[in-house]
Coordinates of all heavy atoms in Angstrom, one line a residue:
M1 N -44.3 -12.7 65.0 CA -44.5 -12.4 63.6 C -43.2 -12.6 62.8 O -42.2 -12.1 63.2 CB -44.9 -10.9 63.5 CG -45.6 -10.5 62.2 SD -46.1 -8.8 62.2 CE -44.8 -8.0 61.4
T2 N -43.3 -13.2 61.7 CA -42.1 -13.4 60.8 C -42.1 -12.4 59.7 O -43.1 -12.1 59.1 CB -42.0 -14.8 60.3 OG1 -43.2 -15.1 59.6 CG2 -41.7 -15.8 61.3
M3 N -41.0 -11.8 59.5 CA -40.8 -10.8 58.4 C -40.2 -11.5 57.2 O -39.3 -12.3 57.3 CB -39.8 -9.7 58.9 CG -40.4 -8.8 60.0 SD -41.5 -7.5 59.4 CE -40.3 -6.5 58.5
T4 N -40.8 -11.2 56.1 CA -40.2 -11.7 54.8 C -38.9 -10.9 54.5 O -39.0 -9.7 54.5 CB -41.2 -11.6 53.7 OG1 -42.4 -12.3 54.1 CG2 -40.6 -12.2 52.4
H5 N -37.8 -11.6 54.3 CA -36.6 -10.9 54.0 C -36.3 -10.9 52.5 O -36.2 -12.0 52.0 CB -35.5 -11.5 54.8 CG -34.2 -10.7 54.6 ND1 -34.0 -9.5 55.2 CD2 -33.1 -11.1 54.0 CE1 -32.8 -9.1 54.8 NE2 -32.2 -10.0 54.1
W6 N -36.1 -9.7 52.0 CA -35.8 -9.6 50.6 C -34.4 -9.1 50.4 O -34.0 -8.1 51.1 CB -36.8 -8.7 49.8 CG -38.2 -9.2 49.8 CD1 -39.2 -9.0 50.7 CD2 -38.7 -10.1 48.8 NE1 -40.3 -9.7 50.3 CE2 -40.1 -10.4 49.1 CE3 -38.2 -10.7 47.6 CZ2 -40.9 -11.2 48.3 CZ3 -39.0 -11.5 46.9 CH2 -40.3 -11.7 47.2
T7 N -33.6 -9.7 49.6 CA -32.2 -9.3 49.4 C -32.1 -8.6 48.0 O -32.5 -9.2 47.0 CB -31.3 -10.6 49.4 OG1 -31.5 -11.2 50.7 CG2 -29.8 -10.2 49.2
D8 N -31.5 -7.5 48.0 CA -31.3 -6.7 46.8 C -30.1 -7.3 46.0 O -29.0 -7.4 46.6 CB -30.9 -5.3 47.2 CG -30.8 -4.3 46.0 OD1 -30.5 -4.8 44.9 OD2 -30.9 -3.1 46.2
V9 N -30.4 -7.8 44.8 CA -29.3 -8.5 44.1 C -28.9 -7.9 42.8 O -27.8 -8.2 42.2 CB -29.7 -10.0 43.8 CG1 -29.9 -10.8 45.0 CG2 -31.0 -10.1 42.9
A10 N -29.7 -7.0 42.2 CA -29.3 -6.4 40.9 C -30.2 -5.2 40.6 O -31.2 -5.0 41.3 CB -29.5 -7.4 39.8
A11 N -29.7 -4.4 39.7 CA -30.6 -3.3 39.2 C -31.4 -3.9 38.0 O -30.9 -4.7 37.3 CB -29.7 -2.2 38.6
E12 N -32.6 -3.5 37.9 CA -33.5 -4.0 36.9 C -32.9 -3.6 35.5 O -33.0 -4.4 34.6 CB -34.9 -3.3 37.0 CG -35.9 -4.0 36.2 CD -37.3 -3.3 36.3 OE1 -37.4 -2.2 36.9 OE2 -38.3 -3.8 35.7
A13 N -32.2 -2.5 35.4 CA -31.6 -2.1 34.2 C -30.4 -3.0 33.7 O -30.0 -2.9 32.6 CB -31.1 -0.6 34.3
D14 N -29.9 -3.8 34.6 CA -28.9 -4.8 34.3 C -29.4 -6.0 33.5 O -28.7 -6.8 33.0 CB -28.1 -5.3 35.5 CG -27.3 -4.3 36.2 OD1 -27.0 -3.3 35.5 OD2 -27.0 -4.5 37.4
L15 N -30.7 -6.1 33.5 CA -31.4 -7.3 32.9 C -31.7 -7.0 31.4 O -32.0 -5.9 31.1 CB -32.7 -7.7 33.6 CG -32.5 -8.1 35.1 CD1 -33.9 -8.3 35.7 CD2 -31.6 -9.3 35.2
F16 N -31.6 -8.1 30.6 CA -31.9 -7.9 29.2 C -33.0 -8.9 28.9 O -33.0 -10.1 29.3 CB -30.7 -8.2 28.3 CG -29.5 -7.3 28.6 CD1 -28.6 -7.6 29.5 CD2 -29.5 -6.1 28.0 CE1 -27.5 -6.7 29.8 CE2 -28.5 -5.2 28.2 CZ -27.5 -5.5 29.1
E17 N -34.0 -8.4 28.2 CA -35.1 -9.3 27.8 C -34.6 -10.5 27.1 O -33.8 -10.5 26.1 CB -36.1 -8.5 26.9 CG -37.2 -9.2 26.3 CD -38.2 -9.8 27.3 OE1 -38.4 -9.1 28.4 OE2 -38.8 -10.8 27.1
G18 N -35.1 -11.7 27.6 CA -34.7 -13.0 26.9 C -33.3 -13.4 27.1 O -32.9 -14.3 26.4
A19 N -32.6 -12.9 28.1 CA -31.3 -13.4 28.4 C -31.0 -13.4 29.9 O -31.8 -12.8 30.7 CB -30.2 -12.4 27.8
G20 N -30.0 -14.1 30.3 CA -29.7 -14.3 31.7 C -28.5 -13.5 32.2 O -27.6 -13.3 31.4
I21 N -28.5 -13.2 33.5 CA -27.2 -12.7 34.1 C -27.1 -13.5 35.4 O -28.0 -14.0 36.0 CB -27.3 -11.2 34.4 CG1 -28.3 -10.8 35.5 CG2 -27.5 -10.3 33.2 CD1 -28.2 -9.4 36.1
A22 N -25.8 -13.5 35.9 CA -25.5 -14.2 37.1 C -25.4 -13.2 38.2 O -24.8 -12.2 38.1 CB -24.2 -15.0 37.0
V23 N -25.9 -13.6 39.4 CA -25.7 -12.8 40.6 C -25.3 -13.8 41.7 O -25.6 -15.0 41.7 CB -27.0 -12.0 41.0 CG1 -27.3 -11.0 40.0 CG2 -28.2 -13.0 41.2
T24 N -24.6 -13.3 42.7 CA -24.0 -14.2 43.7 C -24.3 -13.7 45.1 O -23.4 -13.5 45.9 CB -22.5 -14.4 43.5 OG1 -21.9 -13.1 43.5 CG2 -22.2 -15.1 42.2
P25 N -25.5 -13.5 45.5 CA -25.8 -13.0 46.9 C -25.6 -14.2 47.9 O -25.8 -15.3 47.6 CB -27.3 -12.7 46.8 CG -27.9 -13.6 45.8 CD -26.8 -13.7 44.7
E26 N -25.0 -13.8 49.0 CA -24.7 -14.8 50.1 C -24.1 -16.0 49.6 O -24.4 -17.2 49.9 CB -26.1 -15.1 50.8 CG -26.6 -13.9 51.5 CD -28.0 -14.1 52.2 OE1 -28.4 -15.3 52.3 OE2 -28.6 -13.1 52.6
D27 N -23.1 -15.9 48.7 CA -22.3 -17.0 48.2 C -23.1 -18.0 47.3 O -22.6 -19.1 47.1 CB -21.6 -17.7 49.3 CG -20.4 -16.9 49.8 OD1 -19.9 -16.0 49.1 OD2 -20.1 -17.1 51.0
Q28 N -24.3 -17.6 46.9 CA -25.0 -18.5 46.0 C -24.8 -18.0 44.6 O -24.5 -16.9 44.3 CB -26.5 -18.4 46.4 CG -26.7 -18.7 47.9 CD -28.1 -19.2 48.2 OE1 -28.6 -20.2 47.6 NE2 -28.8 -18.6 49.1
D29 N -25.0 -19.0 43.7 CA -24.8 -18.7 42.3 C -26.2 -18.8 41.6 O -26.8 -19.9 41.5 CB -23.9 -19.7 41.7 CG -23.4 -19.3 40.3 OD1 -23.8 -18.3 39.8 OD2 -22.6 -20.1 39.7
I30 N -26.8 -17.6 41.3 CA -28.1 -17.6 40.8 C -28.2 -16.8 39.5 O -27.5 -15.9 39.2 CB -29.0 -16.8 41.9 CG1 -29.0 -17.6 43.2 CG2 -30.4 -16.6 41.4 CD1 -29.7 -16.9 44.3
A31 N -29.0 -17.4 38.6 CA -29.2 -16.7 37.3 C -30.6 -16.0 37.3 O -31.6 -16.5 37.7 CB -29.2 -17.8 36.1
L32 N -30.6 -14.7 36.8 CA -31.8 -14.0 36.7 C -32.1 -13.9 35.2 O -31.3 -13.6 34.4 CB -31.6 -12.5 37.2 CG -31.2 -12.3 38.7 CD1 -31.0 -10.8 39.0 CD2 -32.2 -12.9 39.6
F33 N -33.4 -14.0 34.9 CA -33.9 -13.9 33.6 C -35.1 -12.9 33.5 O -35.9 -12.9 34.4 CB -34.4 -15.2 33.0 CG -33.3 -16.2 32.8 CD1 -32.8 -17.1 33.8 CD2 -32.6 -16.2 31.6 CE1 -31.8 -18.0 33.6 CE2 -31.6 -17.1 31.3 CZ -31.2 -18.0 32.3
S34 N -35.1 -12.1 32.5 CA -36.2 -11.2 32.2 C -37.0 -11.7 31.0 O -36.4 -11.9 29.9 CB -35.7 -9.8 32.0 OG -36.7 -9.0 31.7
V35 N -38.3 -12.0 31.2 CA -39.1 -12.6 30.1 C -40.4 -11.8 30.1 O -41.2 -11.9 31.1 CB -39.4 -14.1 30.3 CG1 -40.3 -14.6 29.2 CG2 -38.1 -14.9 30.4
D36 N -40.6 -11.1 29.0 CA -41.9 -10.3 28.9 C -42.1 -9.4 30.1 O -43.2 -9.3 30.6 CB -43.1 -11.2 28.7 CG -43.1 -11.9 27.3 OD1 -42.5 -11.3 26.4 OD2 -43.7 -12.9 27.2
G37 N -41.0 -8.8 30.6 CA -41.2 -7.9 31.7 C -41.3 -8.6 33.1 O -41.3 -7.9 34.1
E38 N -41.2 -9.9 33.1 CA -41.3 -10.6 34.4 C -39.9 -11.1 34.7 O -39.1 -11.5 33.8 CB -42.2 -11.8 34.2 CG -43.0 -12.1 35.5 CD -44.0 -13.3 35.3 OE1 -44.5 -13.4 34.1 OE2 -44.2 -14.0 36.2
V39 N -39.5 -11.1 36.0 CA -38.1 -11.5 36.3 C -38.2 -12.8 37.1 O -39.0 -13.0 37.9 CB -37.4 -10.4 37.2 CG1 -36.0 -10.9 37.5 CG2 -37.3 -9.1 36.4
F40 N -37.3 -13.8 36.7 CA -37.2 -15.1 37.3 C -35.8 -15.3 37.9 O -34.8 -14.8 37.3 CB -37.5 -16.2 36.3 CG -38.9 -16.0 35.7 CD1 -39.1 -15.5 34.5 CD2 -40.0 -16.5 36.4 CE1 -40.4 -15.4 33.9 CE2 -41.3 -16.4 35.9 CZ -41.5 -15.8 34.6
A41 N -35.7 -16.1 38.9 CA -34.4 -16.5 39.5 C -34.4 -18.0 39.6 O -35.2 -18.6 40.2 CB -34.3 -15.8 40.9
I42 N -33.3 -18.5 39.1 CA -33.1 -20.0 39.1 C -31.7 -20.3 39.4 O -30.8 -19.5 39.1 CB -33.5 -20.6 37.7 CG1 -33.6 -22.1 37.7 CG2 -32.6 -20.1 36.6 CD1 -34.3 -22.7 36.5
N43 N -31.4 -21.4 40.0 CA -30.0 -21.8 40.4 C -29.2 -21.8 39.1 O -29.6 -22.3 38.1 CB -30.0 -23.2 41.0 CG -28.7 -23.4 41.8 OD1 -28.3 -22.6 42.6 ND2 -28.0 -24.4 41.5
N44 N -28.0 -21.1 39.1 CA -27.3 -20.9 37.9 C -26.6 -22.2 37.4 O -26.5 -22.3 36.2 CB -26.2 -19.8 38.1 CG -25.7 -19.3 36.8 OD1 -26.3 -19.5 35.8 ND2 -24.6 -18.5 36.9
V45 N -26.3 -23.1 38.2 CA -25.6 -24.3 37.8 C -26.6 -25.4 37.4 O -27.5 -25.7 38.2 CB -24.6 -24.9 38.9 CG1 -23.9 -26.1 38.4 CG2 -23.6 -23.8 39.2
C46 N -26.5 -25.9 36.3 CA -27.4 -26.9 35.8 C -27.4 -28.1 36.7 O -26.4 -28.5 37.3 CB -27.0 -27.4 34.4 SG -28.1 -28.6 33.6
T47 N -28.5 -28.8 36.9 CA -28.6 -30.0 37.8 C -28.0 -31.2 37.1 O -27.8 -32.3 37.7 CB -30.0 -30.3 38.2 OG1 -30.8 -30.6 37.0 CG2 -30.7 -29.2 38.9
H48 N -27.6 -31.1 35.8 CA -27.0 -32.2 35.1 C -25.5 -32.2 35.0 O -24.9 -33.2 34.8 CB -27.7 -32.3 33.7 CG -27.2 -33.4 32.8 ND1 -26.3 -33.2 31.7 CD2 -27.4 -34.7 32.9 CE1 -26.1 -34.4 31.2 NE2 -26.7 -35.3 31.8
G49 N -24.9 -31.0 35.1 CA -23.5 -30.9 34.9 C -23.0 -29.5 35.3 O -23.8 -28.7 35.8
N50 N -21.8 -29.2 34.9 CA -21.2 -27.9 35.4 C -21.4 -26.8 34.3 O -20.5 -26.2 33.8 CB -19.7 -28.1 35.7 CG -19.2 -26.9 36.4 OD1 -19.9 -26.2 37.1 ND2 -17.9 -26.7 36.3
A51 N -22.7 -26.6 33.9 CA -23.0 -25.6 32.9 C -23.8 -24.5 33.6 O -24.4 -24.7 34.6 CB -23.9 -26.2 31.8
K52 N -23.6 -23.2 33.1 CA -24.2 -22.1 33.7 C -25.5 -21.7 32.9 O -25.4 -21.4 31.7 CB -23.3 -20.9 33.6 CG -22.0 -21.1 34.4 CD -22.2 -20.9 35.9 CE -20.8 -20.8 36.6 NZ -21.0 -20.5 38.0
L53 N -26.6 -21.8 33.6 CA -27.9 -21.5 32.9 C -28.0 -20.1 32.5 O -28.7 -19.8 31.5 CB -29.1 -21.9 33.8 CG -29.2 -23.4 34.1 CD1 -30.3 -23.7 35.0 CD2 -29.2 -24.3 32.8
C54 N -27.2 -19.2 33.1 CA -27.3 -17.8 32.7 C -26.8 -17.6 31.2 O -27.1 -16.6 30.5 CB -26.5 -16.9 33.6 SG -24.7 -17.1 33.6
D55 N -26.0 -18.6 30.7 CA -25.6 -18.6 29.3 C -26.5 -19.3 28.4 O -26.2 -19.5 27.2 CB -24.2 -19.3 29.2 CG -23.1 -18.5 30.0 OD1 -23.3 -17.3 30.2 OD2 -22.2 -19.2 30.6
G56 N -27.6 -19.9 28.9 CA -28.5 -20.7 28.1 C -29.4 -19.8 27.3 O -29.5 -18.6 27.4
F57 N -30.1 -20.5 26.4 CA -31.1 -19.8 25.5 C -32.4 -19.8 26.2 O -32.8 -20.8 26.8 CB -31.2 -20.6 24.1 CG -30.0 -20.5 23.3 CD1 -29.1 -21.6 23.3 CD2 -29.7 -19.4 22.6 CE1 -28.0 -21.5 22.5 CE2 -28.5 -19.3 21.9 CZ -27.7 -20.4 21.8
V58 N -33.1 -18.7 26.1 CA -34.5 -18.6 26.6 C -35.5 -18.9 25.5 O -35.4 -18.3 24.4 CB -34.7 -17.2 27.2 CG1 -36.1 -17.0 27.7 CG2 -33.7 -16.9 28.3
E59 N -36.4 -19.8 25.9 CA -37.5 -20.1 25.0 C -38.8 -20.0 25.8 O -39.0 -20.8 26.6 CB -37.4 -21.5 24.4 CG -36.3 -21.7 23.4 CD -36.3 -23.1 22.8 OE1 -37.3 -23.8 23.0 OE2 -35.3 -23.5 22.2
G60 N -39.5 -18.9 25.5 CA -40.7 -18.7 26.3 C -40.3 -18.5 27.7 O -39.4 -17.7 28.0
D61 N -41.0 -19.3 28.7 CA -40.6 -19.1 30.1 C -39.7 -20.3 30.5 O -39.7 -20.8 31.6 CB -41.8 -18.9 31.0 CG -42.8 -20.1 30.9 OD1 -42.5 -21.0 30.1 OD2 -43.9 -20.0 31.5
H62 N -38.9 -20.8 29.5 CA -38.0 -21.9 29.8 C -36.6 -21.5 29.4 O -36.4 -20.6 28.6 CB -38.3 -23.2 29.1 CG -39.5 -23.9 29.6 ND1 -40.8 -23.4 29.4 CD2 -39.6 -25.0 30.3 CE1 -41.6 -24.3 30.0 NE2 -40.9 -25.2 30.6
V63 N -35.6 -22.1 30.1 CA -34.2 -21.8 29.7 C -33.6 -23.2 29.2 O -33.9 -24.2 29.9 CB -33.3 -21.2 30.8 CG1 -33.3 -22.0 32.1 CG2 -31.9 -20.9 30.3
E64 N -32.8 -23.1 28.2 CA -32.2 -24.3 27.7 C -30.7 -24.3 28.1 O -30.0 -23.4 27.8 CB -32.3 -24.3 26.1 CG -31.7 -25.5 25.5 CD -31.7 -25.4 24.0 OE1 -30.7 -24.9 23.4 OE2 -32.7 -25.8 23.3
C65 N -30.3 -25.4 28.7 CA -28.9 -25.5 29.2 C -28.0 -25.5 28.0 O -28.2 -26.1 27.0 CB -28.7 -26.8 29.9 SG -27.0 -27.1 30.4
P66 N -26.9 -24.7 28.1 CA -26.0 -24.5 26.9 C -25.2 -25.8 26.6 O -24.6 -25.9 25.6 CB -25.1 -23.4 27.3 CG -25.2 -23.3 28.8 CD -26.5 -23.8 29.2
F67 N -25.1 -26.8 27.6 CA -24.3 -28.0 27.4 C -25.0 -29.1 26.6 O -24.6 -29.5 25.6 CB -23.8 -28.5 28.7 CG -22.5 -27.8 29.2 CD1 -22.1 -26.6 28.6 CD2 -21.7 -28.4 30.1 CE1 -20.9 -26.0 29.1 CE2 -20.5 -27.8 30.6 CZ -20.1 -26.6 30.1
H68 N -26.1 -29.6 27.2 CA -26.8 -30.7 26.6 C -28.3 -30.4 26.4 O -29.1 -31.3 26.2 CB -26.7 -32.0 27.5 CG -25.3 -32.2 27.9 ND1 -24.9 -32.1 29.2 CD2 -24.2 -32.6 27.2 CE1 -23.6 -32.4 29.3 NE2 -23.1 -32.7 28.1
Q69 N -28.6 -29.1 26.4 CA -30.0 -28.7 26.0 C -31.1 -29.2 26.8 O -32.3 -29.3 26.3 CB -30.2 -29.1 24.5 CG -29.4 -28.2 23.5 CD -28.0 -28.6 23.4 OE1 -27.7 -29.8 23.3 NE2 -27.1 -27.7 23.5
A70 N -30.9 -29.5 28.1 CA -32.0 -29.7 29.0 C -32.8 -28.4 29.1 O -32.2 -27.3 29.1 CB -31.6 -30.2 30.3
H71 N -34.1 -28.6 29.3 CA -35.0 -27.4 29.4 C -35.5 -27.3 30.8 O -36.1 -28.3 31.3 CB -36.2 -27.4 28.4 CG -35.8 -27.1 27.0 ND1 -36.7 -26.5 26.2 CD2 -34.7 -27.4 26.3 CE1 -36.1 -26.3 25.0 NE2 -34.9 -26.9 25.0
F72 N -35.4 -26.2 31.4 CA -35.9 -25.9 32.8 C -37.0 -24.8 32.7 O -36.8 -23.8 32.1 CB -34.8 -25.5 33.8 CG -33.8 -26.5 34.0 CD1 -32.6 -26.5 33.2 CD2 -33.9 -27.5 35.0 CE1 -31.6 -27.5 33.4 CE2 -32.9 -28.4 35.2 CZ -31.8 -28.4 34.4
S73 N -38.1 -25.0 33.5 CA -39.0 -24.0 33.6 C -38.4 -22.9 34.5 O -37.9 -23.1 35.6 CB -40.3 -24.5 34.3 OG -41.1 -23.4 34.7
L74 N -38.6 -21.6 34.0 CA -38.0 -20.5 34.9 C -39.0 -20.2 36.0 O -38.7 -19.6 37.0 CB -37.9 -19.2 34.0 CG -36.8 -19.3 33.0 CD1 -36.8 -18.1 32.1 CD2 -35.4 -19.4 33.7
R75 N -40.2 -20.7 35.9 CA -41.3 -20.5 36.9 C -41.1 -21.3 38.2 O -41.2 -20.9 39.3 CB -42.7 -20.7 36.4 CG -43.0 -19.7 35.3 CD -44.4 -19.7 34.8 NE -44.5 -18.8 33.7 CZ -44.7 -17.5 33.9 NH1 -44.9 -17.0 35.1 NH2 -44.8 -16.6 32.9
D76 N -40.8 -22.6 38.0 CA -40.6 -23.5 39.1 C -39.4 -24.4 39.0 O -39.2 -25.3 39.9 CB -41.9 -24.3 39.3 CG -42.2 -25.3 38.1 OD1 -41.3 -25.4 37.2 OD2 -43.3 -25.9 38.1
G77 N -38.6 -24.3 38.0 CA -37.3 -25.1 38.0 C -37.6 -26.5 37.4 O -36.6 -27.2 37.3
S78 N -38.8 -26.8 37.1 CA -39.0 -28.2 36.7 C -38.4 -28.5 35.4 O -38.2 -27.6 34.6 CB -40.5 -28.5 36.6 OG -41.1 -27.6 35.7
V79 N -38.0 -29.8 35.2 CA -37.4 -30.2 33.9 C -38.5 -30.5 32.9 O -39.3 -31.3 33.1 CB -36.5 -31.5 34.2 CG1 -35.9 -31.9 32.9 CG2 -35.5 -31.2 35.2
A80 N -38.4 -29.8 31.8 CA -39.4 -30.0 30.7 C -38.8 -31.0 29.7 O -39.6 -31.5 28.9 CB -39.8 -28.7 30.0
C81 N -37.5 -31.1 29.7 CA -36.9 -31.9 28.6 C -35.5 -32.3 29.1 O -34.8 -31.4 29.6 CB -36.9 -31.1 27.4 SG -35.7 -31.5 26.1
G82 N -35.1 -33.5 29.1 CA -33.8 -34.0 29.5 C -32.7 -33.5 28.7 O -32.9 -32.7 27.8
P83 N -31.4 -34.0 29.0 CA -31.1 -35.1 29.9 C -31.2 -34.9 31.4 O -31.0 -35.8 32.2 CB -29.7 -35.5 29.5 CG -29.1 -34.2 29.0 CD -30.2 -33.5 28.4
A84 N -31.3 -33.6 31.9 CA -31.4 -33.4 33.3 C -32.7 -34.1 33.8 O -33.7 -34.2 33.1 CB -31.4 -31.9 33.6
T85 N -32.6 -34.6 35.0 CA -33.8 -35.2 35.6 C -34.2 -34.5 36.9 O -35.3 -34.6 37.4 CB -33.5 -36.7 36.0 OG1 -32.4 -36.8 36.8 CG2 -33.3 -37.5 34.7
E86 N -33.3 -33.8 37.5 CA -33.5 -33.1 38.8 C -33.9 -31.7 38.6 O -33.2 -31.0 37.8 CB -32.2 -33.2 39.6 CG -32.4 -32.9 41.1 CD -31.0 -32.8 41.8 OE1 -30.1 -33.6 41.5 OE2 -30.9 -31.9 42.6
A87 N -35.0 -31.2 39.2 CA -35.4 -29.8 39.1 C -34.4 -28.9 39.6 O -33.6 -29.2 40.5 CB -36.8 -29.6 39.8
A88 N -34.4 -27.7 39.1 CA -33.5 -26.6 39.5 C -34.2 -25.8 40.6 O -35.4 -25.6 40.5 CB -33.0 -25.8 38.4
K89 N -33.4 -25.3 41.6 CA -34.1 -24.5 42.6 C -34.4 -23.1 42.0 O -33.7 -22.6 41.2 CB -33.1 -24.4 43.8 CG -33.6 -23.6 45.0 CD -32.6 -23.7 46.1 CE -33.0 -22.7 47.3 NZ -34.3 -22.8 47.7
T90 N -35.5 -22.6 42.5 CA -35.9 -21.2 42.0 C -36.2 -20.4 43.3 O -36.4 -21.0 44.4 CB -37.2 -21.2 41.1 OG1 -38.2 -21.9 41.8 CG2 -36.9 -21.9 39.8
W91 N -36.3 -19.1 43.2 CA -36.5 -18.2 44.3 C -37.6 -17.2 43.9 O -37.6 -16.7 42.8 CB -35.2 -17.4 44.7 CG -34.2 -18.2 45.3 CD1 -34.0 -18.4 46.7 CD2 -33.2 -19.0 44.7 NE1 -32.9 -19.2 46.9 CE2 -32.4 -19.6 45.7 CE3 -32.8 -19.2 43.4 CZ2 -31.3 -20.4 45.5 CZ3 -31.7 -20.1 43.1 CH2 -31.0 -20.7 44.1
P92 N -38.4 -16.8 44.9 CA -39.3 -15.7 44.7 C -38.6 -14.4 44.4 O -37.5 -14.1 45.0 CB -40.1 -15.6 46.0 CG -39.9 -16.9 46.7 CD -38.5 -17.4 46.3
V93 N -39.1 -13.6 43.4 CA -38.5 -12.4 43.0 C -39.5 -11.3 43.1 O -40.7 -11.4 42.9 CB -38.2 -12.5 41.4 CG1 -37.5 -11.2 40.9 CG2 -37.3 -13.7 41.2
K94 N -39.0 -10.1 43.5 CA -39.8 -8.9 43.3 C -39.0 -7.8 42.8 O -37.8 -7.7 43.0 CB -40.6 -8.5 44.6 CG -39.7 -7.8 45.6 CD -40.5 -7.3 46.8 CE -39.6 -6.6 47.8 NZ -40.3 -6.1 49.0
V95 N -39.6 -6.9 42.0 CA -38.9 -5.8 41.4 C -39.6 -4.5 42.0 O -40.8 -4.4 41.9 CB -39.0 -5.8 39.9 CG1 -38.3 -4.6 39.3 CG2 -38.4 -7.1 39.4
E96 N -38.8 -3.7 42.6 CA -39.3 -2.5 43.3 C -38.3 -1.3 43.1 O -37.1 -1.6 43.4 CB -39.5 -2.8 44.8 CG -40.7 -2.2 45.4 CD -40.9 -2.7 46.8 OE1 -40.1 -2.3 47.7 OE2 -41.8 -3.5 47.0
G97 N -38.7 -0.2 42.7 CA -37.9 1.0 42.6 C -36.7 0.7 41.7 O -35.6 1.2 42.0
G98 N -36.8 -0.1 40.7 CA -35.7 -0.3 39.8 C -34.7 -1.3 40.3 O -33.7 -1.5 39.6
R99 N -35.0 -2.0 41.4 CA -34.1 -3.0 41.9 C -34.8 -4.3 41.9 O -36.0 -4.4 42.1 CB -33.6 -2.6 43.4 CG -33.0 -1.3 43.6 CD -31.7 -1.2 42.9 NE -30.7 -2.2 43.3 CZ -29.4 -2.3 42.8 NH1 -29.0 -1.3 42.0 NH2 -28.7 -3.2 43.2
V100 N -34.0 -5.4 41.8 CA -34.4 -6.8 41.8 C -34.1 -7.4 43.2 O -32.9 -7.3 43.6 CB -33.8 -7.6 40.7 CG1 -34.3 -9.0 40.8 CG2 -34.1 -7.0 39.4
F101 N -35.1 -7.9 43.8 CA -34.9 -8.5 45.2 C -35.3 -10.0 45.1 O -36.3 -10.4 44.5 CB -35.9 -7.8 46.2 CG -35.6 -6.4 46.4 CD1 -36.1 -5.4 45.6 CD2 -34.8 -6.0 47.5 CE1 -35.9 -4.1 45.8 CE2 -34.5 -4.6 47.7 CZ -35.1 -3.7 46.9
L102 N -34.6 -10.8 45.9 CA -34.9 -12.2 46.0 C -35.2 -12.6 47.4 O -34.6 -12.0 48.4 CB -33.7 -13.1 45.5 CG -33.2 -12.9 44.1 CD1 -32.1 -13.9 43.8 CD2 -34.3 -13.0 43.1
Q103 N -36.1 -13.5 47.6 CA -36.3 -14.0 48.9 C -35.5 -15.3 49.1 O -35.9 -16.4 48.6 CB -37.9 -14.3 49.0 CG -38.4 -14.5 50.4 CD -39.8 -14.8 50.4 OE1 -40.6 -14.1 49.7 NE2 -40.2 -15.8 51.1
L104 N -34.3 -15.2 49.6 CA -33.3 -16.3 49.6 C -33.6 -17.4 50.6 O -33.3 -18.5 50.4 CB -31.9 -15.7 49.9 CG -31.4 -14.8 48.8 CD1 -30.1 -14.2 49.2 CD2 -31.2 -15.6 47.5
A105 N -34.2 -17.0 51.7 CA -34.4 -18.1 52.8 C -35.6 -18.9 52.4 O -36.5 -18.5 51.8 CB -34.6 -17.4 54.1
Ligands
LIG1 FE1 -27.1 -29.0 31.6 FE2 -26.1 -31.4 30.7 S1 -25.1 -29.9 31.9 S2 -28.0 -30.6 30.4

């Protein structure tokens, strides 16, 4: 039997609606976003350059890169609008007891 491993990465209270924060569990750089009460985790570094998506603008369930305005879906990391062409990695999220957990593996 395999157990699903969830890693505690943040307090839900650290999140702000419509904005991102960076967390670094297990040496990874991950941006968390809260949108309409739902929490998303996406790789923090843009796939197009050295920009941090946690500093990007949130539009609906997408984040806009602060450098060249590529749009990534917060749900699956897919690119909705260039110049980025490579999807960003995303992770499953759960919120329990006021804490945010990611399934990193
Ligand atoms: Fe993100 Fe260019 S660095 S779109």
Side-chain angles (χ1 to χ4, degrees):
M1 197 176 97
T2 54
M3 292 278 290
T4 305
H5 183 70
W6 293 93
T7 303
D8 184 336
V9 295
E12 193 181 9
D14 291 341
L15 299 175
F16 299 94
E17 175 64 31
I21 65 164
V23 294
T24 53
E26 297 178 10
D27 289 333
Q28 306 205 53
D29 193 358
I30 297 174
L32 299 181
F33 289 90
S34 175
V35 177
D36 288 336
E38 217 178 326
V39 181
F40 299 99
I42 189 166
N43 199 54
N44 197 13
V45 179
C46 182
T47 61
H48 180 252
N50 194 24
K52 299 283 192 174
L53 295 180
C54 66
D55 298 328
F57 293 102
V58 176
E59 286 185 16
D61 57 4
H62 286 74
V63 59
E64 182 186 88
C65 175
F67 276 16
H68 311 110
Q69 288 77 49
H71 284 215
F72 296 92
S73 166
L74 292 172
R75 295 186 182 278
D76 62 8
S78 59
V79 177
C81 156
T85 54
E86 196 187 320
K89 184 172 169 52
T90 58
W91 288 267
V93 180
K94 77 171 178 182
V95 180
E96 217 174 74
R99 303 294 305 182
V100 179
F101 296 85
L102 303 185
Q103 198 180 311
L104 292 173

